[in-house]
Amino acid sequence: MSTAAAEIKDDVKADGAAAPVAEADAGAAVAAADGSADAAASGDKRKREADPEVDVAGVLKQLTFYFSDSNLPRDKFLRELVKTGDEGWVDFATIAKFKRMIDLCPSQDLAVLCGLVRDAESDFLEVTQDNTKIRRSPKHPLPAESKTDKQSIYVKGWDLKGTSIDTVEKYFTDKGYKVLATRLRRAPATKEFKGSTFVELASVDEAIKCVADKHMVGDRALLVEMKEAYHERKSAERKERSKKRKIENGAKEGEAGAAAAPAALEFEDGCILKFDGVTDETTREDIKEIFSKHGEVSWVDFQKGDTAGEIRFASGGATAAKEAYEKEPTEINGKVPTLAVLVGEDEKAFWVKVAEAKKQRYDRGRRSNRGGGGGGKGHWGRKGGGGGRGDKRKSGGYGGENAAKKARSD
């Protein structure tokens, strides 16, 4: 597992912290010699009770969180392990190497960890008898629809240096709220904390109540709003900025040039597939990875944080791609989007937008003396990267979107 894969586990954690409990290095060998499962379990327990480095409650909370409704649907790396594992079993050694798990159980002793799961009162997790694998119990299937976004809040105003997952969770638990998950928001390129977090609470009603409360850290007021409201606000702000830029560019170019561009527009019908209903954690690379299986994808018009966008296929392949996907739909970060092939005025409007973007790039390139084609590939011509697993992508870290993207402001 990559170093970056371990780092993200330090940025997303289950609620609460626990006092360390001791363990030891004795009974396992006796149990093995005895050959008895009961003796082995007893030995593992004595071993745990003599090792002061194991945070028993912390280990159980963290393991439960990894497989929880809050994390598993959006954890691409772990979800893939569950999907490819026999009946959902995952190699426990992989989980034990996550950075936060190492903090909670430095020895990474699988016998100790499995013993903790067996001793737990909950039946949410299961481990194999040979202490090598772990899974979410089939008795607790994932819900058909995730409530994570609906019961999450956006909080801005935290100290940039002294804030951690633990301090954020303590703030809300001290106010009487049950925290299911906390996610520190970091700049994609630098990984520096941006001063804002997403916090998932126990229910939608509790999130609404929390937003209505007054929140202060020292003499500094925190901005708290529903996560969905935050994304709607940011989307509106982006659209307003885009609209303002178009107006400014239109004034500079002159009405004649702006009116002439659509008149020369030529395009091939049936190339644009609109999608709607993905999560705010979805990236352009996620979309391209899924739909490239159903046709040649030329471009995906989408930014992380949005919930809808368009896919441009080569040679009128939108309809075939739509039919193929709907025949065997695949979840994208836990959601199955709705699809529609653009036709008529909707299709024309899309291509007008493409033409205007190309013209703006060309004109910017001329003004900056970079030559007729502009400064390389821009918004509509830029090649899509593989991304990192960061949010977890194939070529990079576990926990961040494509580092090539500019970090958006809060």
Side-chain angles (χ1 to χ4, degrees):
M1 183 181 64
S2 68
T3 301
E7 289 175 352
I8 187 61
K9 296 306 177 186
D10 195 39
D11 264 3
V12 183
K13 185 180 80 64
D15 63 301
V21 177
E23 285 197 31
D25 198 30
V30 175
D34 184 81
S36 163
D38 291 339
S42 177
D44 290 344
K45 186 173 183 180
R46 290 197 299 275
K47 186 176 180 182
R48 293 192 299 280
E49 290 174 348
D51 188 343
E53 293 188 314
V54 177
D55 182 345
V56 175
V59 166
L60 291 174
K61 284 179 178 291
Q62 195 60 29
L63 289 174
T64 300
F65 171 73
Y66 289 149
F67 291 90
S68 68
D69 298 349
S70 301
N71 184 68
L72 187 56
R74 65 177 60 223
D75 190 328
K76 187 174 181 180
F77 176 73
L78 184 55
R79 198 170 68 245
E80 187 64 22
L81 292 180
V82 171
K83 181 180 178 180
T84 56
D86 184 22
E87 296 183 343
W89 290 106
V90 175
D91 285 337
F92 211 153
T94 300
I95 305 295
K97 292 177 183 177
F98 290 163
K99 185 178 184 301
R100 186 163 290 277
M101 287 298 297
I102 294 175
D103 292 341
L104 297 169
C105 182
S107 69
Q108 303 177 51
D109 190 321
L110 298 187
V112 170
L113 292 170
C114 287
L116 292 179
V117 175
R118 292 191 187 97
D119 292 345
E121 295 180 359
S122 171
D123 63 351
F124 183 74
L125 297 175
E126 297 178 347
V127 291
T128 54
Q129 193 64 40
D130 63 359
N131 296 336
T132 61
K133 297 184 184 297
I134 185 173
R135 71 176 178 181
R136 174 171 171 153
S137 171
K139 300 176 184 177
H140 300 277
L142 282 169
E145 181 178 357
S146 173
K147 296 181 180 179
T148 296
D149 287 344
K150 295 183 182 297
Q151 59 196 39
S152 294
I153 58 175
Y154 166 79
V155 188
K156 179 182 177 182
W158 303 107
D159 181 72
L160 295 177
K161 300 299 182 182
T163 301
S164 67
I165 288 175
D166 292 323
T167 60
V168 173
E169 290 181 351
K170 185 177 187 305
Y171 172 84
F172 286 105
T173 53
D174 286 350
K175 292 176 73 71
Y177 296 101
K178 182 179 180 181
V179 177
L180 299 184
T182 299
R183 290 175 169 83
L184 303 185
R185 304 185 70 240
R186 298 184 181 276
T190 65
K191 304 302 179 186
E192 293 182 355
F193 178 50
K194 299 168 67 174
S196 60
T197 59
F198 289 130
V199 180
E200 183 183 355
L201 300 178
S203 67
V204 176
D205 289 342
E206 192 161 293
I208 293 173
K209 177 185 175 183
C210 185
V211 169
D213 281 351
K214 183 177 181 180
H215 297 278
M216 301 287 296
V217 175
D219 59 354
R220 185 172 63 255
L222 296 176
L223 168 64
V224 182
E225 60 183 321
M226 298 295 287
K227 182 178 180 180
E228 291 184 335
Y230 161 76
H231 283 304
E232 290 173 2
R233 175 171 62 83
K234 297 302 289 185
S235 179
E237 289 174 359
R238 287 194 295 269
K239 289 178 181 178
E240 184 61 29
R241 287 195 298 268
S242 177
K243 181 179 178 181
K244 184 177 180 181
R245 285 196 299 269
K246 287 181 179 180
I247 292 174
E248 292 174 350
N249 290 335
K252 293 177 181 179
E253 299 296 335
E255 294 183 2
L265 185 66
E266 294 182 2
F267 59 87
E268 183 177 357
D269 294 337
C271 292
I272 311 304
L273 182 62
K274 181 179 178 61
F275 62 90
D276 193 3
V278 297
T279 70
D280 55 82
E281 298 295 327
T282 302
T283 67
R284 183 183 292 116
E285 288 72 33
D286 291 332
I287 302 296
K288 187 173 182 179
E289 179 182 350
I290 294 297
F291 284 93
S292 291
K293 302 173 184 177
H294 307 303
E296 183 180 346
V297 176
S298 300
W299 179 250
V300 179
D301 182 22
F302 180 77
Q303 291 187 7
K304 186 176 180 181
D306 293 341
T307 58
E310 294 90 13
I311 308 167
R312 190 198 314 176
F313 288 91
S315 303
T319 298
K322 176 178 180 293
E323 293 174 352
Y325 179 84
E326 290 178 340
K327 184 177 180 180
E328 296 183 11
T330 303
E331 288 188 352
I332 303 175
N333 288 332
K335 296 281 189 178
V336 175
T338 58
L339 306 177
V341 178
L342 294 188
V343 296
E345 291 300 316
D346 291 336
E347 184 179 28
K348 181 178 179 181
F350 175 87
W351 286 107
V352 167
K353 182 172 65 172
V354 173
E356 289 176 348
K358 288 183 177 179
K359 186 176 186 301
Q360 289 170 14
R361 283 204 318 278
Y362 175 79
D363 291 340
R364 283 197 302 268
R366 288 195 305 173
R367 287 193 294 270
S368 61
N369 296 319
R370 290 183 181 178
K377 291 183 178 294
H379 177 72
W380 287 98
R382 182 178 57 197
K383 293 183 178 179
R389 255 197 64 204
D391 315 84
K392 315 171 208 155
R393 305 295 163 240
K394 292 181 180 178
S395 65
Y398 183 112
E401 62 181 292
N402 189 346
K405 295 183 181 177
K406 293 182 179 179
R408 295 190 292 274
S409 65
D410 289 343

